[in-house]
């Protein structure tokens, strides 16, 4: 009887795919992750480069329902306060929405002594919907070490890439000069990745949009 002996020099080749399995998995997970980023931004070139830090700003949100609107106003107000602004929000009964929301808020802003209005419109973004597991792949032909020699094997992996459910949330924010004629000073938009936690999405949008406002040297 003739036995075929697999030498030590052959084992590293059989294990080679195993060494690449972890980096491949990490790369695939990274590719499936999305982040909240500014999609577009504009600043009035005629606006004098002056900081509104320390001034009063009326924070108004237009959202599909009252709960989301109140969450939006509280999170954006907190983020603006972190920049040294003095945010105020209108009573629930006085909140207005729609495209003319900032114009409708001008009387309230002036009554509160606000220098500016920070208006945000929230809308569901169906272009970034995640419905669960969407990716599967297999890795085969790598060896393991045990009491004997190298053995062949394979692993099949199925996972959700890009989230486990939910819908994206889009936000468009505008900074309006309340002390003047209501002109738009700055505007930007961003989209939060698909998720089921709307509160977390609003937090991300507030951080990104108010962060952009800070970088524009307006606060």
């Amino acid at each position: 009887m003739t036995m075929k002996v697999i030498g030590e020099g052959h084992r590293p080749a059989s294990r080679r795919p195993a060494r690449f399995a972890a980096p491949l998995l990490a790369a695939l997970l990274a590719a499936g992750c999305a982040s909240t980023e500014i999609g577009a931004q504009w600043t009035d070139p005629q606006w004098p480069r002056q900081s509104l830090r320390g001034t009063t700003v009326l924070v108004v949100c237009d959202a599909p329902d009252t709960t989301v609107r109140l969450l939006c106003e509280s999170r954006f107000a907190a983020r603006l306060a972190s920049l040294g602004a003095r945010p105020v929000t209108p009573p629930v009964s006085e909140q207005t929405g729609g495209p003319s929301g900032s114009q409708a808020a001008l009387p309230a802003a002036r009554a509160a002594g606000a220098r500016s209005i920070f208006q945000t419109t929230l809308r569901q973004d169906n272009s970034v919907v995640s419905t669960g597991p969407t990716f599967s792949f297999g890795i085969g032909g790598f060896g393991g070490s045990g009491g004997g020699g190298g053995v062949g094997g394979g692993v099949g992996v199925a996972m959700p890439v890009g989230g486990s459910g939910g819908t994206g949330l889009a936000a468009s924010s505008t900074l309006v000069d309340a002390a003047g004629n209501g002109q738009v000073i700055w505007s930007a938009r961003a989209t939060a990745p698909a998720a089921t936690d709307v509160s977390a999405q609003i937090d991300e949008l507030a951080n990104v949009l108010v962060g952009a406002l800070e970088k524009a040297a307006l606060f």
Side-chain angles (χ1 to χ4, degrees):
M1 178 182 296
T2 302
M3 298 182 62
K4 182 177 179 181
V5 179
I6 299 177
E8 290 294 323
H10 183 69
R11 289 182 185 173
S14 66
R15 294 191 186 121
R16 194 170 297 126
R19 294 203 304 270
F20 297 121
L24 174 61
L25 182 59
L28 287 168
L29 287 172
C33 295
S35 60
T36 303
E37 298 178 349
I38 294 293
Q41 183 176 188
W42 176 87
T43 304
D44 183 0
Q46 303 302 318
W47 178 257
R49 293 295 177 175
Q50 61 183 21
S51 173
L52 296 173
R53 183 184 296 267
T55 63
T56 301
V57 53
L58 178 67
V59 181
V60 181
C61 285
D62 172 25
D65 61 64
T66 301
T67 302
V68 175
R69 184 168 63 233
L70 294 175
L71 278 171
C72 172
E73 289 181 350
S74 65
R75 302 302 168 79
F76 275 88
R79 187 67 179 83
L80 284 164
S82 72
L83 298 186
R86 292 181 292 176
V88 294
T89 57
V92 177
S93 59
E94 296 180 12
Q95 292 178 355
T96 59
S100 61
S102 58
Q103 289 296 324
L106 275 173
R110 290 165 180 165
R115 178 68 178 78
S116 60
I117 302 169
F118 191 87
Q119 165 86 21
T120 299
T121 300
L122 294 180
R123 289 291 180 267
Q124 191 176 70
D125 187 349
N126 294 319
S127 66
V128 284
V129 176
S130 176
T131 56
T134 57
F135 194 149
S136 65
F137 66 92
I139 301 174
F142 58 87
S145 59
V151 295
V155 173
V157 179
M159 71 189 71
V161 175
S164 59
T167 307
L169 187 65
S172 179
S173 292
T174 302
L175 184 68
V176 174
D177 179 16
N181 59 2
Q183 73 183 81
V184 175
I185 302 170
W186 169 93
S187 185
R189 67 181 184 184
T191 302
T196 56
D197 188 346
V198 176
S199 178
Q201 287 176 311
I202 294 174
D203 276 337
E204 292 181 16
L205 289 167
N207 285 332
V208 168
L209 286 164
V210 179
L213 193 67
E214 180 182 20
K215 290 179 181 178
L218 290 169
F219 277 95

